[in-house]
Amino acid sequence: MYSAILISHIIISVILIILTLYIVLRSFAGTLSKVSFSTLQDINLPVFVVSLLYIELILGLVLYAIYLSELESLITQENGYEYFSARFWAIEHVILMFFAIIFGHLGLVYAKNIIDEKQKFKKIFIYFGLTSILIIISITMNMLRNA
């Protein structure tokens, strides 16, 4: 069960990277007035991405709960190194992903509530750009730790 949840979590993370990068590129083009605002691509797609972020949160919390029960066996004098390397999952990854959810949600709220199209694109670019950067940093940190 743990591996199935972990694989789902990883697949959704990759999908999120692709979708947030698409949203960022589209909003950048929108700030340069090269594309017009579309409800499907500029409202519905961010809603879908934020929904995926919340699904990732639920999957991540389940994985964290499973991992935490296994982490208790690591906290001994002999296994101190594994405990310190587990800090990434206990602190850094969780904090980065909470901020990614917050920024994604802020970008969605601004996109829905601002009237001016250029300002909508600008807010989407900023907040979903931060979201994609945080997701990429978190995945990169995981790859570097496991390499």
Side-chain angles (χ1 to χ4, degrees), residues 63-122:
L63 287 170
Y64 184 74
I66 294 170
Y67 185 71
L68 196 60
S69 66
E70 294 175 6
L71 186 63
E72 291 175 358
S73 65
L74 291 176
I75 306 174
T76 63
Q77 189 67 24
E78 296 82 27
N79 296 330
Y81 178 75
E82 286 87 3
Y83 176 71
F84 288 114
S85 67
R87 184 188 72 161
F88 170 72
W89 296 112
I91 298 170
E92 296 164 5
H93 184 71
V94 173
I95 291 172
L96 286 173
M97 293 302 98
F98 272 127
F99 277 108
I101 291 171
I102 291 168
F103 289 140
H105 203 86
L106 283 173
L108 177 63
V109 168
Y110 281 126
K112 286 179 134 180
N113 294 329
I114 294 177
I115 304 295
D116 183 38
E117 285 187 7
K118 194 166 188 171
Q119 286 294 343
K120 283 184 182 188
F121 281 125
K122 187 176 180 181

Short mmCIF file of all heavy atoms in Angstrom, two decimals, residues 63-122:
data_model
loop_
_atom_site.label_atom_id
_atom_site.label_comp_id
_atom_site.label_asym_id
_atom_site.label_seq_id
_atom_site.Cartn_x
_atom_site.Cartn_y
_atom_site.Cartn_z
N LEU A 63 1.37 9.30 3.53
CA LEU A 63 2.75 8.80 3.47
C LEU A 63 3.54 9.22 4.71
O LEU A 63 4.33 8.43 5.24
CB LEU A 63 3.45 9.33 2.21
CG LEU A 63 3.02 8.72 0.89
CD1 LEU A 63 3.62 9.51 -0.27
CD2 LEU A 63 3.40 7.27 0.81
N TYR A 64 3.33 10.42 5.15
CA TYR A 64 4.02 10.91 6.34
C TYR A 64 3.63 10.10 7.58
O TYR A 64 4.48 9.76 8.40
CB TYR A 64 3.71 12.39 6.55
CG TYR A 64 4.45 13.03 7.69
CD1 TYR A 64 5.80 13.31 7.57
CD2 TYR A 64 3.80 13.35 8.87
CE1 TYR A 64 6.50 13.90 8.61
CE2 TYR A 64 4.49 13.94 9.92
CZ TYR A 64 5.83 14.21 9.78
OH TYR A 64 6.51 14.79 10.80
N ALA A 65 2.34 9.79 7.70
CA ALA A 65 1.88 8.99 8.84
C ALA A 65 2.50 7.59 8.82
O ALA A 65 2.93 7.08 9.86
CB ALA A 65 0.36 8.91 8.84
N ILE A 66 2.56 7.00 7.65
CA ILE A 66 3.19 5.68 7.53
C ILE A 66 4.68 5.77 7.83
O ILE A 66 5.24 4.95 8.56
CB ILE A 66 2.94 5.08 6.13
CG1 ILE A 66 1.45 4.79 5.92
CG2 ILE A 66 3.76 3.81 5.92
CD1 ILE A 66 1.08 4.44 4.49
N TYR A 67 5.32 6.80 7.30
CA TYR A 67 6.76 6.98 7.49
C TYR A 67 7.10 7.28 8.95
O TYR A 67 8.10 6.82 9.47
CB TYR A 67 7.25 8.10 6.58
CG TYR A 67 8.73 8.31 6.59
CD1 TYR A 67 9.59 7.38 6.01
CD2 TYR A 67 9.30 9.41 7.20
CE1 TYR A 67 10.96 7.55 6.02
CE2 TYR A 67 10.66 9.60 7.21
CZ TYR A 67 11.49 8.67 6.62
OH TYR A 67 12.84 8.85 6.64
N LEU A 68 6.23 8.05 9.62
CA LEU A 68 6.47 8.41 11.00
C LEU A 68 6.48 7.18 11.91
O LEU A 68 7.27 7.09 12.84
CB LEU A 68 5.43 9.42 11.47
CG LEU A 68 5.72 10.18 12.74
CD1 LEU A 68 7.00 10.98 12.59
CD2 LEU A 68 4.57 11.08 13.08
N SER A 69 5.60 6.23 11.60
CA SER A 69 5.59 5.01 12.41
C SER A 69 6.88 4.21 12.21
O SER A 69 7.35 3.55 13.13
CB SER A 69 4.37 4.16 12.07
OG SER A 69 4.45 3.68 10.75
N GLU A 70 7.45 4.26 11.01
CA GLU A 70 8.72 3.58 10.76
C GLU A 70 9.91 4.37 11.31
O GLU A 70 10.93 3.80 11.64
CB GLU A 70 8.93 3.37 9.26
CG GLU A 70 7.93 2.42 8.64
CD GLU A 70 8.09 2.32 7.13
OE1 GLU A 70 9.06 2.90 6.59
OE2 GLU A 70 7.25 1.68 6.50
N LEU A 71 9.74 5.69 11.42
CA LEU A 71 10.84 6.54 11.88
C LEU A 71 11.18 6.30 13.34
O LEU A 71 12.32 6.45 13.75
CB LEU A 71 10.47 8.01 11.66
CG LEU A 71 11.52 9.06 11.94
CD1 LEU A 71 12.70 8.87 11.00
CD2 LEU A 71 10.95 10.44 11.79
N GLU A 72 10.21 5.88 14.12
CA GLU A 72 10.46 5.65 15.55
C GLU A 72 11.53 4.58 15.77
O GLU A 72 12.28 4.65 16.74
CB GLU A 72 9.16 5.26 16.24
CG GLU A 72 8.17 6.40 16.32
CD GLU A 72 6.84 5.98 16.90
OE1 GLU A 72 6.67 4.78 17.22
OE2 GLU A 72 5.98 6.85 17.04
N SER A 73 11.61 3.62 14.87
CA SER A 73 12.63 2.58 15.02
C SER A 73 14.03 3.10 14.65
O SER A 73 15.02 2.49 15.01
CB SER A 73 12.29 1.37 14.15
OG SER A 73 12.34 1.73 12.79
N LEU A 74 14.10 4.23 13.95
CA LEU A 74 15.40 4.78 13.55
C LEU A 74 16.07 5.60 14.64
O LEU A 74 17.26 5.85 14.59
CB LEU A 74 15.24 5.65 12.30
CG LEU A 74 14.88 4.96 11.00
CD1 LEU A 74 14.67 6.00 9.92
CD2 LEU A 74 15.95 3.99 10.59
N ILE A 75 15.30 6.05 15.60
CA ILE A 75 15.85 6.97 16.59
C ILE A 75 16.59 6.17 17.68
O ILE A 75 16.10 5.93 18.76
CB ILE A 75 14.74 7.84 17.21
CG1 ILE A 75 13.97 8.55 16.10
CG2 ILE A 75 15.33 8.87 18.16
CD1 ILE A 75 12.78 9.33 16.58
N THR A 76 17.78 5.77 17.32
CA THR A 76 18.70 5.13 18.26
C THR A 76 20.07 5.74 18.03
O THR A 76 20.28 6.46 17.04
CB THR A 76 18.77 3.60 18.03
OG1 THR A 76 19.30 3.35 16.73
CG2 THR A 76 17.40 2.95 18.19
N GLN A 77 20.99 5.43 18.91
CA GLN A 77 22.34 5.99 18.78
C GLN A 77 23.02 5.50 17.51
O GLN A 77 23.72 6.24 16.83
CB GLN A 77 23.18 5.60 20.01
CG GLN A 77 24.51 6.30 20.09
CD GLN A 77 24.36 7.79 20.32
OE1 GLN A 77 23.36 8.25 20.86
NE2 GLN A 77 25.36 8.56 19.91
N GLU A 78 22.81 4.24 17.15
CA GLU A 78 23.48 3.66 15.99
C GLU A 78 22.90 4.19 14.67
O GLU A 78 23.58 4.25 13.67
CB GLU A 78 23.36 2.13 16.01
CG GLU A 78 24.05 1.46 17.16
CD GLU A 78 23.21 1.48 18.44
OE1 GLU A 78 21.96 1.53 18.34
OE2 GLU A 78 23.79 1.50 19.52
N ASN A 79 21.64 4.54 14.68
CA ASN A 79 20.97 4.97 13.45
C ASN A 79 20.74 6.48 13.41
O ASN A 79 19.80 6.95 12.78
CB ASN A 79 19.63 4.25 13.30
CG ASN A 79 19.78 2.76 13.15
OD1 ASN A 79 20.79 2.30 12.62
ND2 ASN A 79 18.81 2.01 13.60
N GLY A 80 21.58 7.24 14.05
CA GLY A 80 21.41 8.69 14.10
C GLY A 80 21.48 9.35 12.74
O GLY A 80 20.79 10.30 12.46
N TYR A 81 22.34 8.84 11.86
CA TYR A 81 22.49 9.44 10.53
C TYR A 81 21.18 9.35 9.74
O TYR A 81 20.78 10.30 9.08
CB TYR A 81 23.62 8.75 9.77
CG TYR A 81 23.77 9.30 8.37
CD1 TYR A 81 24.35 10.55 8.16
CD2 TYR A 81 23.31 8.58 7.26
CE1 TYR A 81 24.47 11.07 6.88
CE2 TYR A 81 23.44 9.10 5.99
CZ TYR A 81 24.02 10.34 5.80
OH TYR A 81 24.13 10.85 4.55
N GLU A 82 20.51 8.21 9.78
CA GLU A 82 19.25 8.06 9.06
C GLU A 82 18.19 9.02 9.60
O GLU A 82 17.37 9.53 8.86
CB GLU A 82 18.73 6.62 9.14
CG GLU A 82 19.48 5.64 8.27
CD GLU A 82 20.69 5.06 8.96
OE1 GLU A 82 20.91 5.37 10.16
OE2 GLU A 82 21.42 4.30 8.31
N TYR A 83 18.24 9.27 10.90
CA TYR A 83 17.28 10.19 11.49
C TYR A 83 17.49 11.61 10.97
O TYR A 83 16.55 12.30 10.62
CB TYR A 83 17.38 10.18 13.02
CG TYR A 83 16.49 11.18 13.68
CD1 TYR A 83 15.12 11.01 13.69
CD2 TYR A 83 17.02 12.32 14.28
CE1 TYR A 83 14.30 11.95 14.29
CE2 TYR A 83 16.22 13.26 14.88
CZ TYR A 83 14.84 13.06 14.88
OH TYR A 83 14.04 13.99 15.46
N PHE A 84 18.76 12.03 10.89
CA PHE A 84 19.03 13.38 10.39
C PHE A 84 18.72 13.50 8.90
O PHE A 84 18.29 14.54 8.44
CB PHE A 84 20.46 13.78 10.69
CG PHE A 84 20.70 14.07 12.14
CD1 PHE A 84 21.53 13.28 12.89
CD2 PHE A 84 20.07 15.14 12.75
CE1 PHE A 84 21.74 13.54 14.22
CE2 PHE A 84 20.26 15.41 14.09
CZ PHE A 84 21.11 14.61 14.83
N SER A 85 18.94 12.45 8.14
CA SER A 85 18.60 12.51 6.72
C SER A 85 17.09 12.47 6.52
O SER A 85 16.58 12.91 5.50
CB SER A 85 19.27 11.38 5.95
OG SER A 85 18.73 10.14 6.33
N ALA A 86 16.36 11.96 7.50
CA ALA A 86 14.89 11.93 7.42
C ALA A 86 14.29 13.30 7.70
O ALA A 86 13.09 13.49 7.52
CB ALA A 86 14.34 10.90 8.39
N ARG A 87 15.11 14.25 8.13
CA ARG A 87 14.62 15.60 8.41
C ARG A 87 13.98 16.22 7.17
O ARG A 87 13.04 17.00 7.27
CB ARG A 87 15.77 16.47 8.89
CG ARG A 87 15.34 17.86 9.29
CD ARG A 87 16.54 18.70 9.55
NE ARG A 87 17.16 18.99 8.27
CZ ARG A 87 18.00 19.97 8.07
NH1 ARG A 87 18.36 20.73 9.07
NH2 ARG A 87 18.53 20.18 6.88
N PHE A 88 14.50 15.86 6.01
CA PHE A 88 13.93 16.39 4.77
C PHE A 88 12.44 16.11 4.70
O PHE A 88 11.64 16.98 4.39
CB PHE A 88 14.64 15.79 3.55
CG PHE A 88 13.95 16.10 2.26
CD1 PHE A 88 14.00 17.38 1.73
CD2 PHE A 88 13.23 15.14 1.58
CE1 PHE A 88 13.36 17.69 0.55
CE2 PHE A 88 12.59 15.43 0.40
CZ PHE A 88 12.66 16.71 -0.12
N TRP A 89 12.04 14.87 4.97
CA TRP A 89 10.63 14.51 4.88
C TRP A 89 9.83 15.09 6.03
O TRP A 89 8.67 15.47 5.85
CB TRP A 89 10.47 12.99 4.85
CG TRP A 89 11.10 12.42 3.65
CD1 TRP A 89 12.20 11.63 3.60
CD2 TRP A 89 10.69 12.62 2.29
NE1 TRP A 89 12.51 11.34 2.30
CE2 TRP A 89 11.59 11.94 1.48
CE3 TRP A 89 9.67 13.33 1.69
CZ2 TRP A 89 11.50 11.91 0.10
CZ3 TRP A 89 9.56 13.32 0.32
CH2 TRP A 89 10.47 12.61 -0.47
N ALA A 90 10.43 15.18 7.18
CA ALA A 90 9.70 15.65 8.35
C ALA A 90 9.49 17.16 8.35
O ALA A 90 8.47 17.63 8.84
CB ALA A 90 10.44 15.23 9.62
N ILE A 91 10.43 17.91 7.80
CA ILE A 91 10.35 19.36 7.92
C ILE A 91 10.37 20.06 6.55
O ILE A 91 9.42 20.74 6.18
CB ILE A 91 11.51 19.90 8.79
CG1 ILE A 91 11.41 19.32 10.20
CG2 ILE A 91 11.50 21.41 8.84
CD1 ILE A 91 12.60 19.59 11.05
N GLU A 92 11.43 19.88 5.80
CA GLU A 92 11.65 20.70 4.61
C GLU A 92 10.61 20.44 3.53
O GLU A 92 10.05 21.39 2.97
CB GLU A 92 13.06 20.45 4.07
CG GLU A 92 14.14 20.90 5.03
CD GLU A 92 15.49 20.34 4.70
OE1 GLU A 92 15.64 19.66 3.66
OE2 GLU A 92 16.42 20.57 5.48
N HIS A 93 10.35 19.19 3.21
CA HIS A 93 9.39 18.87 2.16
C HIS A 93 7.99 19.35 2.53
O HIS A 93 7.28 19.92 1.71
CB HIS A 93 9.40 17.36 1.90
CG HIS A 93 8.52 16.94 0.77
ND1 HIS A 93 8.81 17.21 -0.54
CD2 HIS A 93 7.33 16.26 0.76
CE1 HIS A 93 7.87 16.72 -1.31
NE2 HIS A 93 6.96 16.15 -0.55
N VAL A 94 7.61 19.14 3.77
CA VAL A 94 6.28 19.55 4.23
C VAL A 94 6.12 21.06 4.13
O VAL A 94 5.10 21.55 3.61
CB VAL A 94 6.04 19.06 5.68
CG1 VAL A 94 4.74 19.60 6.23
CG2 VAL A 94 6.05 17.54 5.73
N ILE A 95 7.10 21.81 4.59
CA ILE A 95 7.01 23.27 4.55
C ILE A 95 6.98 23.79 3.12
O ILE A 95 6.16 24.65 2.77
CB ILE A 95 8.18 23.91 5.34
CG1 ILE A 95 7.98 23.63 6.82
CG2 ILE A 95 8.28 25.40 5.08
CD1 ILE A 95 9.14 24.04 7.68
N LEU A 96 7.85 23.25 2.26
CA LEU A 96 7.85 23.68 0.86
C LEU A 96 6.50 23.41 0.19
O LEU A 96 5.98 24.26 -0.53
CB LEU A 96 8.96 22.95 0.09
CG LEU A 96 10.38 23.42 0.34
CD1 LEU A 96 11.37 22.49 -0.35
CD2 LEU A 96 10.58 24.84 -0.12
N MET A 97 5.93 22.26 0.47
CA MET A 97 4.66 21.92 -0.18
C MET A 97 3.48 22.72 0.37
O MET A 97 2.57 23.07 -0.37
CB MET A 97 4.39 20.42 -0.08
CG MET A 97 5.37 19.58 -0.88
SD MET A 97 5.38 19.99 -2.65
CE MET A 97 6.77 21.06 -2.78
N PHE A 98 3.51 23.05 1.67
CA PHE A 98 2.46 23.92 2.21
C PHE A 98 2.52 25.29 1.54
O PHE A 98 1.47 25.85 1.17
CB PHE A 98 2.56 24.06 3.73
CG PHE A 98 1.83 22.99 4.48
CD1 PHE A 98 2.48 22.26 5.45
CD2 PHE A 98 0.49 22.72 4.24
CE1 PHE A 98 1.82 21.27 6.16
CE2 PHE A 98 -0.18 21.74 4.93
CZ PHE A 98 0.49 21.01 5.90
N PHE A 99 3.71 25.82 1.37
CA PHE A 99 3.83 27.10 0.68
C PHE A 99 3.43 27.00 -0.79
O PHE A 99 2.85 27.93 -1.35
CB PHE A 99 5.23 27.68 0.83
CG PHE A 99 5.44 28.41 2.12
CD1 PHE A 99 6.23 27.86 3.12
CD2 PHE A 99 4.83 29.62 2.36
CE1 PHE A 99 6.41 28.52 4.32
CE2 PHE A 99 5.01 30.30 3.55
CZ PHE A 99 5.80 29.74 4.54
N ALA A 100 3.72 25.88 -1.44
CA ALA A 100 3.30 25.68 -2.83
C ALA A 100 1.77 25.71 -2.92
O ALA A 100 1.21 26.32 -3.85
CB ALA A 100 3.85 24.37 -3.38
N ILE A 101 1.10 25.07 -1.98
CA ILE A 101 -0.38 25.08 -1.97
C ILE A 101 -0.89 26.49 -1.73
O ILE A 101 -1.83 26.95 -2.41
CB ILE A 101 -0.91 24.10 -0.90
CG1 ILE A 101 -0.63 22.67 -1.32
CG2 ILE A 101 -2.41 24.31 -0.68
CD1 ILE A 101 -0.92 21.64 -0.25
N ILE A 102 -0.29 27.20 -0.78
CA ILE A 102 -0.72 28.57 -0.49
C ILE A 102 -0.55 29.47 -1.71
O ILE A 102 -1.47 30.22 -2.08
CB ILE A 102 0.04 29.12 0.73
CG1 ILE A 102 -0.41 28.40 1.99
CG2 ILE A 102 -0.16 30.63 0.87
CD1 ILE A 102 0.48 28.65 3.19
N PHE A 103 0.62 29.41 -2.35
CA PHE A 103 0.85 30.25 -3.52
C PHE A 103 -0.07 29.88 -4.68
O PHE A 103 -0.58 30.76 -5.39
CB PHE A 103 2.31 30.18 -3.96
CG PHE A 103 3.26 30.88 -3.03
CD1 PHE A 103 4.49 30.31 -2.74
CD2 PHE A 103 2.94 32.08 -2.45
CE1 PHE A 103 5.38 30.94 -1.88
CE2 PHE A 103 3.81 32.72 -1.59
CZ PHE A 103 5.03 32.15 -1.30
N GLY A 104 -0.29 28.60 -4.90
CA GLY A 104 -1.21 28.18 -5.95
C GLY A 104 -2.62 28.67 -5.69
O GLY A 104 -3.32 29.13 -6.60
N HIS A 105 -3.03 28.58 -4.45
CA HIS A 105 -4.38 29.04 -4.10
C HIS A 105 -4.50 30.56 -4.24
O HIS A 105 -5.52 31.06 -4.73
CB HIS A 105 -4.72 28.61 -2.66
CG HIS A 105 -6.18 28.53 -2.41
ND1 HIS A 105 -6.92 27.41 -2.69
CD2 HIS A 105 -7.04 29.44 -1.92
CE1 HIS A 105 -8.17 27.64 -2.38
NE2 HIS A 105 -8.27 28.86 -1.91
N LEU A 106 -3.46 31.30 -3.84
CA LEU A 106 -3.48 32.75 -4.02
C LEU A 106 -3.55 33.12 -5.50
O LEU A 106 -4.28 34.05 -5.88
CB LEU A 106 -2.24 33.38 -3.39
CG LEU A 106 -2.25 33.52 -1.88
CD1 LEU A 106 -0.89 34.00 -1.39
CD2 LEU A 106 -3.33 34.47 -1.45
N GLY A 107 -2.79 32.44 -6.33
CA GLY A 107 -2.84 32.70 -7.77
C GLY A 107 -4.22 32.45 -8.34
O GLY A 107 -4.72 33.22 -9.17
N LEU A 108 -4.87 31.40 -7.87
CA LEU A 108 -6.24 31.09 -8.33
C LEU A 108 -7.21 32.17 -7.88
O LEU A 108 -8.05 32.63 -8.67
CB LEU A 108 -6.66 29.73 -7.79
CG LEU A 108 -8.07 29.29 -8.11
CD1 LEU A 108 -8.27 29.15 -9.60
CD2 LEU A 108 -8.37 27.97 -7.40
N VAL A 109 -7.12 32.61 -6.64
CA VAL A 109 -8.03 33.64 -6.12
C VAL A 109 -7.85 34.94 -6.88
O VAL A 109 -8.83 35.58 -7.28
CB VAL A 109 -7.80 33.84 -4.60
CG1 VAL A 109 -8.49 35.08 -4.09
CG2 VAL A 109 -8.26 32.61 -3.83
N TYR A 110 -6.60 35.34 -7.10
CA TYR A 110 -6.36 36.57 -7.85
C TYR A 110 -6.85 36.45 -9.29
O TYR A 110 -7.40 37.39 -9.85
CB TYR A 110 -4.88 36.95 -7.84
CG TYR A 110 -4.43 37.61 -6.57
CD1 TYR A 110 -3.35 37.10 -5.86
CD2 TYR A 110 -5.07 38.72 -6.07
CE1 TYR A 110 -2.92 37.71 -4.69
CE2 TYR A 110 -4.66 39.33 -4.90
CZ TYR A 110 -3.59 38.82 -4.22
OH TYR A 110 -3.17 39.42 -3.06
N ALA A 111 -6.67 35.30 -9.91
CA ALA A 111 -7.10 35.11 -11.29
C ALA A 111 -8.62 35.22 -11.41
O ALA A 111 -9.14 35.69 -12.42
CB ALA A 111 -6.63 33.76 -11.82
N LYS A 112 -9.32 34.78 -10.40
CA LYS A 112 -10.78 34.82 -10.45
C LYS A 112 -11.34 36.21 -10.12
O LYS A 112 -12.41 36.56 -10.60
CB LYS A 112 -11.37 33.81 -9.47
CG LYS A 112 -11.25 32.39 -9.92
CD LYS A 112 -11.83 31.47 -8.88
CE LYS A 112 -12.72 30.45 -9.52
NZ LYS A 112 -13.30 29.55 -8.54
N ASN A 113 -10.63 36.98 -9.31
CA ASN A 113 -11.21 38.22 -8.78
C ASN A 113 -10.74 39.51 -9.44
O ASN A 113 -11.39 40.53 -9.28
CB ASN A 113 -10.97 38.30 -7.28
CG ASN A 113 -11.70 37.22 -6.53
OD1 ASN A 113 -12.76 36.78 -6.94
ND2 ASN A 113 -11.14 36.77 -5.43
N ILE A 114 -9.64 39.50 -10.15
CA ILE A 114 -9.15 40.72 -10.79
C ILE A 114 -9.84 40.88 -12.14
O ILE A 114 -10.03 39.91 -12.88
CB ILE A 114 -7.61 40.67 -10.94
CG1 ILE A 114 -6.96 40.69 -9.56
CG2 ILE A 114 -7.10 41.84 -11.78
CD1 ILE A 114 -5.45 40.58 -9.60
N ILE A 115 -10.18 42.10 -12.48
CA ILE A 115 -10.90 42.39 -13.72
C ILE A 115 -9.95 42.51 -14.92
O ILE A 115 -10.19 41.94 -15.97
CB ILE A 115 -11.72 43.70 -13.59
CG1 ILE A 115 -12.67 43.62 -12.39
CG2 ILE A 115 -12.47 44.03 -14.87
CD1 ILE A 115 -13.75 42.58 -12.49
N ASP A 116 -8.86 43.26 -14.75
CA ASP A 116 -7.92 43.53 -15.83
C ASP A 116 -7.17 42.26 -16.24
O ASP A 116 -6.57 41.58 -15.40
CB ASP A 116 -6.93 44.61 -15.39
CG ASP A 116 -5.95 45.00 -16.48
OD1 ASP A 116 -6.36 45.07 -17.65
OD2 ASP A 116 -4.76 45.22 -16.15
N GLU A 117 -7.21 41.92 -17.54
CA GLU A 117 -6.58 40.69 -18.03
C GLU A 117 -5.07 40.67 -17.80
O GLU A 117 -4.51 39.64 -17.40
CB GLU A 117 -6.87 40.48 -19.52
CG GLU A 117 -8.27 40.03 -19.80
CD GLU A 117 -8.47 39.67 -21.26
OE1 GLU A 117 -7.47 39.63 -22.01
OE2 GLU A 117 -9.61 39.40 -21.63
N LYS A 118 -4.43 41.79 -18.04
CA LYS A 118 -2.97 41.82 -17.88
C LYS A 118 -2.58 41.61 -16.42
O LYS A 118 -1.61 40.92 -16.11
CB LYS A 118 -2.42 43.14 -18.41
CG LYS A 118 -0.94 43.12 -18.60
CD LYS A 118 -0.48 44.29 -19.43
CE LYS A 118 0.99 44.12 -19.76
NZ LYS A 118 1.46 45.07 -20.71
N GLN A 119 -3.36 42.19 -15.51
CA GLN A 119 -3.09 41.99 -14.09
C GLN A 119 -3.36 40.54 -13.67
O GLN A 119 -2.64 39.99 -12.84
CB GLN A 119 -3.96 42.93 -13.24
CG GLN A 119 -3.51 44.36 -13.26
CD GLN A 119 -2.15 44.54 -12.61
OE1 GLN A 119 -1.66 43.70 -11.87
NE2 GLN A 119 -1.51 45.67 -12.92
N LYS A 120 -4.39 39.93 -14.27
CA LYS A 120 -4.65 38.51 -13.99
C LYS A 120 -3.46 37.66 -14.40
O LYS A 120 -2.99 36.81 -13.63
CB LYS A 120 -5.89 38.03 -14.76
CG LYS A 120 -7.19 38.45 -14.18
CD LYS A 120 -8.33 37.83 -14.96
CE LYS A 120 -9.64 38.29 -14.42
NZ LYS A 120 -10.78 37.58 -15.00
N PHE A 121 -2.98 37.88 -15.61
CA PHE A 121 -1.83 37.12 -16.10
C PHE A 121 -0.60 37.35 -15.21
O PHE A 121 0.16 36.43 -14.93
CB PHE A 121 -1.50 37.49 -17.54
CG PHE A 121 -2.38 36.83 -18.56
CD1 PHE A 121 -3.07 37.58 -19.49
CD2 PHE A 121 -2.51 35.45 -18.60
CE1 PHE A 121 -3.86 36.97 -20.45
CE2 PHE A 121 -3.30 34.83 -19.54
CZ PHE A 121 -3.98 35.60 -20.47
N LYS A 122 -0.42 38.59 -14.76
CA LYS A 122 0.73 38.91 -13.92
C LYS A 122 0.66 38.16 -12.59
O LYS A 122 1.65 37.59 -12.13
CB LYS A 122 0.79 40.42 -13.70
CG LYS A 122 2.03 40.88 -12.99
CD LYS A 122 2.03 42.41 -12.90
CE LYS A 122 3.27 42.89 -12.20
NZ LYS A 122 3.29 44.34 -12.07
#
